Amino acid sequence: MKCGILIIGSLYWDKENGRDDWRKRRLDTNASIPVRVPIYYGRKSASRGNTYTMTFRRNDPSGMAALVPCQREIETIEDLKDEVEALWKAEAPNSQSGTIGSGWGCVGALLGSDEAREALAEAWKIHFRTCRTEGLSVVDADGNLDISWPETTNGTPAELDVILATATKPITVPPRAHSVADAWLSQSGGYERYFLENVRHGIRTFDDGEIWQRIEKRAPRWLTSEDYAQAIQALRAEAAGHE
């Protein structure tokens, strides 16, 4: 069975904390495809200067994420557990071996094919309940992602049997676009990179245009960084196209 990782943030592009090695060892990054998913900037991250990072929400596939196939196929629950644990280790490098989540996030699964459901559903539920006392965000108590199956840009369902993703804990009231922008504008630790690298790699939300409009109007010094030139060019081109 073919398995893939649905990536909605820095896991796709960050080279620190072993993530680059995880991508090289476990993912077929050359086969990555963009897919429509329900994502937004809704988790406030203390480790990123209280700026916002990406999280899922239900029934609003207005964002774009990266769906990256795993190098190995899934045959048994042990294979699935191996991919899940490797994914969580990439998310949380200091976590204990065998864990699949914490208070701020956890890994969930979408079983798309009849074969996957028949072979893995019950065993995955038992494993998840053994490792977790409850679900989180869009991951239910059985470890299932409560989102629609991702579709490609031409509207066809992604051709995989199993999809794994990390769901993070959002703040109670979704922030408005200007609040998301202001969080990046008010910090000085380089955390704006999260937004601009997401843009550069095609990980997008419905609010990106409004977020960008406020950022450009305030003209922070980091907009002149060559590291962000590609993302800024794309954002400006989009803004011009909507005028």
Side-chain angles (χ1 to χ4, degrees):
M1 292 172 283
K2 295 180 179 178
C3 181
I5 311 296
L6 181 60
I7 303 180
I8 63 172
S10 56
L11 201 63
Y12 191 72
W13 45 262
D14 190 2
K15 295 184 178 181
E16 298 179 358
N17 298 316
R19 291 179 171 183
D20 197 34
D21 182 58
W22 168 75
R23 290 191 296 266
K24 290 175 180 177
R25 288 188 300 106
R26 306 199 74 98
L27 303 186
D28 183 3
T29 54
N30 291 327
S32 173
I33 59 170
V35 290
R36 301 188 186 282
V37 288
I39 55 175
Y40 71 111
Y41 287 102
R43 177 180 178 261
K44 205 163 194 179
S45 175
S47 64
R48 293 182 183 270
N50 286 322
T51 59
Y52 292 92
T53 56
M54 205 76 82
T55 192
F56 288 101
R57 58 182 159 200
R58 295 178 178 86
N59 303 320
D60 179 28
S62 60
M64 297 296 299
L67 183 55
V68 190
C70 297
Q71 293 179 17
R72 301 169 187 170
E73 293 193 353
I74 298 290
E75 295 184 7
T76 68
I77 186 60
E78 295 303 320
D79 295 332
L80 180 62
K81 288 161 61 175
D82 191 40
E83 292 295 349
V84 168
E85 291 168 12
L87 169 56
W88 183 249
K89 196 67 175 177
E91 291 279 17
N94 295 324
S95 61
Q96 292 184 353
S97 177
T99 56
I100 63 173
S102 69
W104 60 265
C106 70
V107 178
L110 274 174
L111 306 179
S113 67
D114 291 340
E115 181 184 6
R117 286 188 289 270
E118 291 173 7
L120 301 170
E122 185 63 21
W124 168 243
K125 179 179 75 172
I126 293 170
H127 178 65
F128 186 85
R129 289 185 171 186
T130 301
C131 295
R132 299 278 299 176
T133 57
E134 60 183 356
L136 187 149
S137 182
V138 297
V139 179
D140 69 19
D142 294 335
N144 300 308
L145 282 167
D146 187 15
I147 60 173
S148 299
W149 190 261
E151 293 186 345
T152 65
T153 52
N154 62 13
T156 60
E159 295 183 358
L160 292 168
D161 298 289
V162 180
I163 292 175
L164 302 175
T166 302
T168 58
K169 187 176 182 179
I171 61 173
T172 304
V173 178
R176 301 186 68 173
H178 73 265
S179 297
V180 176
D182 286 350
W184 283 313
L185 288 164
S186 63
Q187 56 81 42
S188 58
Y191 300 116
E192 72 283 344
R193 178 172 178 255
Y194 185 86
F195 172 61
L196 293 165
E197 287 291 344
N198 278 348
V199 169
R200 186 164 78 91
H201 289 92
I203 300 173
R204 308 298 304 275
T205 76
F206 178 81
D207 293 326
D208 281 7
E210 191 174 346
I211 292 169
W212 168 246
Q213 185 178 35
R214 190 170 182 90
I215 288 174
E216 185 165 44
K217 185 176 181 179
R218 299 292 180 85
R221 188 173 302 174
W222 40 260
L223 284 189
T224 61
S225 171
E226 283 298 316
D227 293 339
Y228 302 147
Q230 186 177 347
I232 290 171
Q233 182 180 12
L235 288 162
R236 284 175 174 162
E238 289 173 7
H242 287 100
E243 291 178 355

